[in-house]
Amino acid sequence: MNFFTRAIKNVTRRMSKSILLAITFFLIGNLVIIGLGINNASEQAKIETRRKMRAVVSYETDYMAFYDYADALEGEEQQEAYKNYPSVKLEDIKSLMSDERVKTVNVVSTNMLYSNDFETVPLNNERESNGSGTMTYEDGTTVEYIEPDLKFQTNFFPNMIELEDKMYEIVEGRFYNQAEVDEGKMVCLITDKLASHNNLRVGDVITIDLISKNDMQYFEQTGVTDEDIHMNLEIIGIYHNNEELDENSNEYKWMSRYDSPDNTILAPTLAYGNAYYNLGIKQYEYSKAQNPEYYVDTETPTPESYTYVNKAVFLLNDPLNVDQFVADHQSDLKEFMKIDANNDTFKKLARPLDTLSLFSNIIVWIVVINAVVIITLVTALTLKTREYEIGVLLSIGVSKMKIVAQFFVELIIVALIGFTLSVVSGSLVAKQVGKMVMDYQVDTESQYGTLDDQNNGTIYWGETNYFTEISQDDLLSEYEVQINPMIIGEIYVLGIGVVFISILIPSFMIMRFNPKKILMNQN
């Protein structure tokens, strides 16, 4: 008779002991299933919420850190610090772009400009019906105020997050390429509604004014001409803007034309720099001639000086790569620069889930440790009643290892029965228990602590907030305790581990048994 057959017979022969052990494993299994189910649900809720968020990371100056540093300095040191004010550099952006997880990057600048030889798409709202206002200069001259009617959006790179996200869809022509970006080619893309409204096509040239014609009175004294304020752009593409406006909202009623998605023009950043240079250099030279003492240490403007980089927003290929991307590049950042993945907001909203994960893990470990101690004691105590059996087996030549294996199999059989029953019952109660503890945790969180306002990084005028707005309700809606095959597998693996550890001490006791001495004591 082999040790496996003996193990089965012993389990059925000592039925009361087997039932008590099975109940013990059953209770252990239920507690472990509930703990693992809650932990898995918490982690899965965070993963699913992350998966629904846009995979963006911003790279920008850490202003608070710099100001704290500069305020602690005095005199010349402080002046030197402000003179070397930290800023986002294109070379650093390009370095981050080399990461294979990056799909595209937005280094976007937005300016409000004026249409010249075409008409922007009207909104027909209350603001337009009220007409333009007036502006009075210092000399008392009053002129009609003409409001900008175009949003001029530029990027340092030949792609945009909006294109990848299908917010912008090119319907005719193409987007500008890297050569056109580097050279500052005077090319642009306009919306399909703007094209239709003016009967414009790819290949046409449109003229945009950098300033209002009514403002020329101020600029003429600096030598600026009408030609200097014109920006002539070739249309290389027509795109559809999928952003929708609610015409019934109060915001729409008082919206300016430049806020309309239909009046957004896309172009390379240096195209704007080249155009504004003609106007800016004349102003600079005029001011320098009037007040030369203020321009002793200043550099002569270049087209690049009329473009600026506030921050870069990277779109990654997978939302689940965001945290790792930040971790991989954190150590490479220059002083007073930061990478923001909206993690602070996410972590604050996920506090109830993190608390549940922590306590469920603690409960699982406490249960497992107690299970090991209890099963070890029970097994060790039963050895005394089974000394004669062990002595007989040893005397007929059964190895001590086979006897240990028999004890192990006995426990495994009982454990499998207990854990199998616990899988059935645990699956039924885990969902209700998980919901109950989550409701309690959320109530406790709202009673004793409040969530700070969401901080989606620094948002500059005219910029888009690319971070996905989430609420705690969005996060918790993904929380659902489900006992999947993975958890069931973990239960059985854990049970085998508990039995294995529990049998170690009794194994050492069996190894010390002497069959002759055992049988003599029995006689």
Side-chain angles (χ1 to χ4, degrees):
M1 185 185 300
N2 58 38
F3 70 91
F4 188 79
T5 305
R6 290 196 303 271
I8 295 176
K9 287 185 175 294
N10 274 303
V11 169
T12 55
R13 187 182 304 122
R14 295 178 172 86
M15 189 59 69
S16 59
K17 174 197 165 188
S18 298
I19 291 174
L20 288 174
L21 279 175
I23 292 173
T24 302
F25 282 115
F26 172 76
L27 295 175
I28 292 169
N30 274 284
L31 292 173
V32 172
I33 282 178
I34 292 172
L36 291 178
I38 291 174
N39 179 66
N40 180 72
S42 300
E43 295 302 320
Q44 198 63 31
K46 291 191 286 186
I47 290 174
E48 291 304 317
T49 303
R50 266 291 189 198
R51 212 186 294 274
K52 292 179 179 180
M53 297 170 66
R54 184 186 276 120
V56 293
V57 175
S58 69
Y59 173 67
E60 58 188 306
T61 304
D62 190 343
Y63 296 105
M64 295 304 298
F66 174 75
Y67 288 139
D68 290 342
Y69 163 77
D71 286 345
L73 302 177
E74 295 180 355
E76 292 184 2
E77 288 186 348
Q78 189 178 67
Q79 293 179 5
E80 187 66 21
Y82 281 113
K83 184 178 180 180
N84 297 313
Y85 192 86
S87 62
V88 178
K89 305 295 183 185
L90 278 177
E91 55 266 27
D92 297 329
I93 296 173
K94 291 177 180 178
S95 176
L96 290 169
M97 284 180 65
S98 63
D99 192 305
E100 62 182 6
R101 291 168 290 193
V102 176
K103 292 178 68 175
T104 189
V105 59
N106 272 23
V107 186
V108 172
S109 298
T110 302
N111 294 279
M112 304 307 153
L113 304 180
Y114 303 82
S115 60
N116 181 290
D117 56 355
F118 62 98
E119 183 188 20
T120 51
V121 180
L123 292 170
N124 298 317
N125 58 4
E126 292 188 25
R127 185 187 188 94
E128 291 187 356
S129 65
N130 288 336
S132 302
T134 58
M135 179 178 293
T136 303
Y137 289 100
E138 293 181 359
D139 60 2
T141 304
T142 300
V143 297
E144 182 185 8
Y145 170 67
I146 300 177
E147 187 176 57
D149 57 354
L150 283 173
K151 179 184 289 185
F152 195 69
Q153 196 172 57
T154 62
N155 195 16
F156 276 93
F157 298 97
N159 197 357
M160 296 184 73
I161 293 175
E162 288 82 354
L163 289 171
E164 293 289 342
D165 283 355
K166 305 301 181 183
M167 178 59 74
Y168 297 166
E169 294 185 83
I170 297 177
V171 295
E172 187 179 346
R174 61 177 178 84
F175 203 73
Y176 47 82
N177 56 42
Q178 188 62 58
E180 290 167 333
V181 172
D182 295 338
E183 298 171 15
K185 289 287 188 180
M186 308 304 287
V187 295
C188 72
L189 292 89
I190 64 173
T191 65
D192 49 358
K193 290 185 180 179
L194 184 61
S196 175
H197 187 67
N198 293 276
N199 196 28
L200 294 170
R201 298 178 178 82
V202 172
D204 290 347
V205 176
I206 59 174
T207 301
I208 297 174
D209 288 347
L210 300 171
I211 62 173
S212 167
K213 293 177 180 179
N214 285 359
D215 293 334
M216 278 298 293
Q217 179 177 336
Y218 169 77
F219 286 93
E220 281 177 347
Q221 61 182 335
T222 65
V224 174
T225 65
D226 287 339
E227 277 305 310
D228 295 329
I229 71 170
H230 295 330
M231 178 166 48
N232 300 313
L233 297 167
E234 179 189 352
I235 300 173
I236 61 170
I238 295 174
Y239 75 100
H240 178 69
N241 192 332
N242 286 310
E243 183 180 353
E244 295 182 357
L245 298 176
D246 182 6
E247 297 185 6
N248 296 318
S249 65
N250 288 327
E251 181 182 350
Y252 181 85
K253 292 178 183 178
W254 300 102
M255 182 178 290
S256 300
R257 283 197 186 186
Y258 59 75
D259 283 324
S260 171
D262 300 326
N263 294 322
T264 300
I265 292 180
L266 311 178
T269 297
L270 199 54
Y272 176 80
N274 286 333
Y276 202 90
Y277 174 76
N278 297 326
L279 181 151
I281 191 65
K282 290 184 177 181
Q283 288 184 292
Y284 172 81
E285 292 174 348
Y286 175 82
S287 298
K288 185 176 181 180
Q290 297 295 316
N291 303 287
E293 66 276 10
Y294 293 114
Y295 292 85
V296 175
D297 297 324
T298 60
E299 297 181 358
T300 303
T302 63
E304 289 77 11
S305 63
Y306 293 105
T307 63
Y308 54 93
V309 180
N310 279 326
K311 69 176 178 181
V313 181
F314 297 88
L315 178 67
L316 307 187
N317 56 7
D318 190 337
L320 300 184
N321 287 335
V322 168
D323 291 336
Q324 191 58 49
F325 180 87
V326 173
D328 290 345
H329 294 286
Q330 195 70 48
S331 59
D332 300 330
L333 297 181
K334 292 182 178 178
E335 191 175 17
F336 305 120
M337 304 306 295
K338 68 176 181 178
I339 293 182
D340 182 18
N342 204 18
N343 277 341
D344 288 342
T345 298
F346 187 81
K347 289 176 181 177
K348 289 171 186 174
L349 296 176
R351 279 194 305 222
L353 295 175
D354 291 334
T355 303
L356 283 183
S357 293
L358 174 63
F359 281 108
S360 62
N361 282 327
I362 291 174
I363 289 172
V364 169
W365 280 109
I366 290 175
V367 170
V368 169
I369 293 171
N370 283 325
V372 170
V373 173
I374 292 171
I375 303 303
T376 299
L377 287 175
V378 171
T379 306
L381 290 174
T382 57
L383 286 181
K384 188 66 178 175
T385 62
R386 301 181 65 177
E387 281 188 354
Y388 181 76
E389 176 190 347
I390 295 172
V392 171
L393 291 173
L394 291 173
S395 65
I396 62 176
V398 177
S399 68
K400 294 180 179 178
M401 287 302 300
K402 286 189 176 181
I403 295 175
V404 172
Q406 177 186 326
F407 276 66
F408 180 75
V409 171
E410 289 176 13
L411 283 176
I412 282 293
I413 292 172
V414 177
L416 289 177
I417 294 172
F419 281 125
T420 300
L421 294 174
S422 71
V423 167
V424 177
S425 61
S427 299
L428 297 175
V429 301
K431 189 170 185 177
Q432 297 302 320
V433 173
K435 183 179 184 303
M436 182 176 64
V437 295
M438 170 56 74
D439 292 341
Y440 174 78
Q441 178 59 32
V442 172
D443 290 341
T444 303
E445 185 81 17
S446 61
Q447 182 177 358
Y448 295 104
T450 57
L451 291 170
D452 299 333
D453 292 337
Q454 293 193 31
N455 174 23
N456 292 327
T458 305
I459 305 299
Y460 301 95
W461 176 81
E463 278 192 336
T464 301
N465 178 15
Y466 292 100
F467 287 121
T468 305
E469 298 285 351
I470 60 170
S471 66
Q472 193 170 77
D473 289 339
D474 295 329
L475 190 60
L476 299 184
S477 66
E478 298 293 338
Y479 173 84
E480 183 178 4
V481 178
Q482 293 181 333
I483 308 304
N484 55 44
M486 183 66 70
I487 294 179
I488 295 174
E490 289 178 6
I491 290 294
Y492 285 112
V493 171
L494 196 62
I496 293 172
V498 168
V499 171
F500 178 78
I501 297 173
S502 300
I503 204 68
L504 289 179
I505 293 178
S507 298
F508 288 119
M509 296 172 65
I510 293 173
M511 292 299 176
R512 296 176 60 187
F513 282 171
N514 185 302
K516 183 177 180 180
K517 186 175 180 180
I518 293 173
L519 295 176
M520 287 179 64
N521 288 338
Q522 292 293 326
N523 292 330

